[in-house]
Amino acid sequence: MRFISYTAASFLLLLSGCVVGPNHVPPEMQFPSKFSEGGVTSNGDVTVAAWWTAFNDPMLTSYVEQGISQNLDVQQAIERINSAAANVTIARAGALPSLTLSGSHTVSGQKGELRKQTYTSNTSTGELSLSWILDLFGAYKRNTESAEAALDSAYASVTMAKLAFINDIISSYVDARYYQRRLALSQANLKSRRETFELTKSKFDAGAVARMDVVRAEGLVQSTLAEIPSLEASFRISANRIATLLGKPAGSMVEEIAKGSNQPAFRADVNVGIPADIIRNRPDIRKAERDLADSTAQIGVAEAKLFPSITLSGSISPSGGINERGVYGNLTPWSFGPSLKLPILDGGGLRANVDVAKSKATVSYLKWKSSVLNAIEQVENALVALRLSTLSYKDGASSLLDLLEAQRSLSVTQASLARAVQEWAKVYVVLNIAIGSGYDPVAKAGL
């Protein structure tokens, strides 16, 4: 009875041309109306915002703009778009009729020893065949939906690669300038401390100071000497990273980057928008949603295999030949008709495939939800870090001014200020990346 009911249901669906499987519906979830330390208005389309220009550093701007499409990781992601687009064509082709033409020509013969006679014949054959699998249950339709969603996901992967590049190259540039600044401070301190050491030795020789003062002065010289190689190495490592990100050999840009000296410090406010904006602007969230659409379509593909499939096929095969006796033959057989394929017993494999597809769709939804929550967390954390680093930067600048006025030792405070400027700039980078800003300035802004 179960088999009869299943067969009857299959044929009813067959006649109706039903598309099986769930339709994809973009997921939704509840999240706060605003960020805890942000505003309450939308920030619009931030993807075109060249926010790094707030650093007012022409070298940094040129690196970002020349590398945003030339970076090797970005180029690899773009190439994957070509593959995904080809898969869309393949999926669409599956629902179309297939027409093939084949032909052959054969020369054959016989040679007799008794009468010394040779016979030859020429035979030509050809075949034109047609095959069309009717998409009665939407297997090819769902497969096309899956391929199109995968193509959208590939486009989102490109924007993710662009954001990763922007984050990496600006952070590396900020680090390079920090180490360069620290190196300059250490070299200046080394000169000053050597002079102090020589002066202290002279006073010791004159009996004006204790031996401990000489040891302390010498220790400051040695500690400064010890930190210079590490700072030099860190600067070169950051410069090498920039070169690699721009598709150039490591070491080729050290001298070029060394020509600049100022640490990047931004002069702009950041409108982080509202949490709803990140669903539109964050490419990783868009990719997760498209991956969910892909997985949902695959449920329909798996379910369609539970039902019968009908194939319309036909062929025409003309053939003919002639031999030395003039005998000629000509036949044109043809055939046409439908064929039915109905799954009956498969050990539960087809139904298990449906369960696998449903499980993958559930995982894809959970990944989308996780992407949204992680994005909100990243923005919140970046807002807190930006506020604290701004205070640290201002406090460092204020302390430096007080020390300048008091004409006291500046080495520790100068190093702390350089570190504060570095952290302040990098948090600004993190915040813009977190809201999905600036990955497409060239394509949309016409830069």
Side-chain angles (χ1 to χ4, degrees):
M1 291 296 293
R2 182 178 180 183
F3 170 72
I4 295 175
S5 300
Y6 172 76
T7 304
S10 298
F11 276 105
L12 287 174
L13 284 170
L14 181 66
L15 294 174
S16 64
C18 176
V19 177
V20 298
N23 293 319
H24 173 67
V25 178
E28 296 181 353
M29 64 176 291
Q30 295 293 325
F31 40 76
S33 59
K34 70 181 189 68
F35 294 108
S36 61
E37 300 199 26
V40 295
T41 59
S42 171
N43 57 11
D45 184 7
V46 299
T47 64
V48 300
W51 49 267
W52 49 86
T53 58
F55 287 115
N56 195 27
D57 190 319
M59 182 178 287
L60 173 59
T61 299
S62 69
Y63 288 163
V64 174
E65 292 180 355
Q66 69 178 279
I68 199 168
S69 61
Q70 299 175 2
N71 175 258
L72 296 180
D73 290 337
V74 174
Q75 290 182 356
Q76 291 179 52
I78 291 174
E79 189 58 36
R80 285 191 284 271
I81 288 178
N82 297 331
S83 176
N87 285 333
V88 172
T89 301
I90 293 172
R92 290 173 178 170
L96 301 176
S98 172
L99 186 65
T100 59
L101 175 65
S102 61
S104 66
H105 179 78
T106 304
V107 178
S108 61
Q110 294 183 8
K111 184 176 181 180
E113 293 293 336
L114 182 61
R115 297 183 180 182
K116 305 297 183 182
Q117 292 179 334
T118 301
Y119 296 96
T120 61
S121 64
N122 293 270
T123 304
S124 297
T125 63
E127 182 178 24
L128 184 66
S129 60
L130 171 70
S131 178
W132 186 13
I133 301 176
L134 301 182
D135 193 22
L136 297 173
F137 301 104
Y140 290 110
K141 181 179 184 299
R142 295 302 191 194
N143 209 30
T144 300
E145 291 175 358
S146 172
E148 289 174 344
L151 177 59
D152 293 339
S153 179
Y155 275 105
S157 294
V158 172
T159 58
M160 289 174 64
K162 288 182 177 180
L163 270 183
F165 161 77
I166 293 171
N167 178 57
D168 204 349
I169 197 166
I170 297 180
S171 296
S172 297
Y173 188 86
V174 169
D175 287 343
R177 290 290 177 241
Y178 164 71
Y179 292 121
Q180 188 179 30
R181 174 61 176 162
R182 285 292 313 279
L183 187 60
L185 290 173
S186 292
Q187 290 170 340
N189 288 336
L190 178 61
K191 180 181 178 181
S192 175
R193 287 171 177 177
R194 277 175 170 167
E195 292 174 352
T196 300
F197 174 56
E198 294 298 329
L199 178 60
T200 304
K201 283 200 305 180
S202 298
K203 290 187 175 182
F204 173 74
D205 293 339
V209 297
R211 177 66 180 174
M212 183 58 67
D213 294 328
V214 177
V215 173
R216 186 181 296 111
E218 184 179 14
L220 289 174
V221 171
Q222 295 302 322
S223 64
T224 306
L225 279 170
E227 69 183 13
I228 288 178
S230 176
L231 294 171
E232 176 68 29
S234 296
F235 169 75
R236 289 181 172 273
I237 290 172
S238 298
N240 290 341
R241 180 59 184 162
I242 294 172
T244 300
L245 290 169
L246 296 178
K248 299 178 181 180
S252 62
M253 299 184 62
V254 173
E255 293 184 2
E256 178 180 315
I257 297 174
K259 294 177 182 178
S261 60
N262 293 329
Q263 286 187 263
F266 68 93
R267 296 292 185 269
D269 294 325
V270 183
N271 179 12
V272 298
I274 56 178
D277 291 331
I278 62 175
I279 295 180
R280 178 185 68 253
N281 293 327
R282 286 275 296 239
D284 56 331
I285 296 178
R286 291 203 307 276
K287 183 180 185 303
E289 188 275 329
R290 290 289 80 200
D291 289 342
L292 174 58
D294 183 354
S295 300
T296 303
Q298 285 299 318
I299 297 175
V301 174
E303 288 187 353
K305 294 179 181 179
L306 297 171
F307 299 99
S309 62
I310 293 180
T311 303
L312 299 179
S313 59
S315 65
I316 300 177
S317 307
S319 64
I322 187 170
N323 57 30
E324 292 181 348
R325 295 181 178 181
V327 179
Y328 181 82
N330 187 11
L331 297 173
T332 307
W334 60 273
S335 65
F336 179 79
S339 61
L340 174 67
K341 182 180 179 181
L342 176 64
I344 298 177
L345 296 174
D346 70 310
L350 294 177
R351 177 58 63 183
N353 285 336
V354 175
D355 294 337
V356 169
K358 289 180 178 179
S359 178
K360 288 182 177 179
T362 301
V363 171
S364 295
Y365 167 72
L366 295 174
K367 286 183 177 179
W368 174 85
K369 188 174 181 179
S370 178
S371 296
V372 174
L373 293 176
N374 287 336
I376 294 175
E377 178 188 7
Q378 289 169 9
V379 175
E380 292 283 14
N381 291 343
L383 285 169
V384 173
L386 182 62
R387 178 174 60 83
L388 295 177
S389 63
T390 300
L391 293 174
S392 177
Y393 168 76
K394 291 180 178 179
D395 289 343
S398 176
S399 298
L400 180 60
L401 180 61
D402 293 340
L403 286 171
L404 283 171
E405 292 175 350
Q407 295 184 348
R408 297 175 57 189
S409 173
L410 306 179
S411 59
V412 175
T413 303
Q414 285 175 327
S416 297
L417 177 59
R419 181 68 174 174
V421 172
Q422 179 201 27
E423 291 297 328
W424 191 43
K426 295 185 75 169
V427 169
Y428 175 71
V429 175
V430 169
L431 180 57
N432 278 282
I433 296 299
I435 64 175
S437 179
Y439 61 77
D440 208 10
V442 178
K444 293 182 179 179
L447 297 178

